[in-house]
Amino acid sequence: MKISIETEVNASLDIVWSAWVTPEDITEWNFATEEWGCPRAEIELKVGGKFNYRMEAKDGSMGFDFDGRFTKVSPKDSIHFELEDNRVVTVQFVETSNGVRVIEAFDAEDENSTEQQKQGWQCILNNFKKHVESKSN
């Protein structure tokens, strides 16, 4: 089952794209709640390239690596990747009159409910929007 989320970011495509693919930016937005963080982001943005984003609770109680491999990269248009558990994710960047719509579609996993997954990924996408808009204003 595919889950789709989106947001519209009030910034230029160049700024949005850069914030999505730059490790220093990724560590600033790639977490669902303020209790979590992303202390490390490694990314090799090319087909076959890998990425690893370390996600950790700020109190040190838990953490995990979010990693995978890029299967298609169209700069400033879309990124396709496969996670370590073979789930497929697509991220599209669509210019609008107000900025950029970021649309993320991903295969659901079996551990959490569809609604929990959608909410968690949407919270991260909302953090991305907040991060980019605070940088560009």
Side-chain angles (χ1 to χ4, degrees):
M1 176 176 160
K2 278 266 189 231
I3 299 173
S4 185
I5 58 170
E6 65 179 70
T7 193
E8 189 153 331
V9 183
N10 184 10
S12 73
L13 181 56
D14 287 341
I15 291 170
V16 170
W17 177 263
S18 177
W20 194 271
V21 301
T22 303
E24 295 78 16
D25 282 300
I26 295 166
T27 60
E28 296 291 320
W29 61 261
N30 196 25
F31 43 89
T33 69
E34 290 301 316
E35 291 78 33
W36 280 74
C38 179
R40 184 186 75 246
E42 299 167 355
I43 182 172
E44 184 184 10
L45 188 64
K46 65 178 186 179
V47 173
K50 295 186 177 188
F51 67 89
N52 178 284
Y53 308 147
R54 181 67 187 168
M55 317 284 270
E56 291 181 0
K58 288 182 180 173
D59 67 6
S61 62
M62 65 179 76
F64 63 93
D65 289 328
F66 183 77
D67 49 12
R69 181 182 56 83
F70 295 105
T71 57
K72 181 179 178 186
V73 177
S74 299
K76 300 180 188 174
D77 178 64
S78 66
I79 298 173
H80 301 240
F81 57 92
E82 188 173 286
L83 300 173
E84 285 296 307
D85 62 5
N86 298 320
R87 292 186 298 136
V88 174
V89 181
T90 303
V91 185
Q92 293 177 285
F93 303 87
V94 180
E95 283 189 283
T96 69
S97 58
N98 296 321
V100 179
R101 179 171 291 120
V102 180
I103 306 162
E104 211 170 353
F106 58 96
D107 292 335
E109 39 96 340
D110 298 328
E111 275 183 48
N112 299 292
S113 74
T114 301
E115 190 55 35
Q116 285 175 313
Q117 293 174 67
K118 187 172 186 171
Q119 286 178 1
W121 285 59
Q122 185 68 55
C123 286
I124 293 171
L125 194 55
N126 293 346
N127 273 351
F128 174 75
K129 172 183 171 70
K130 187 169 111 181
H131 169 72
V132 172
E133 289 178 353
S134 71
K135 267 181 66 157
S136 62
N137 291 336

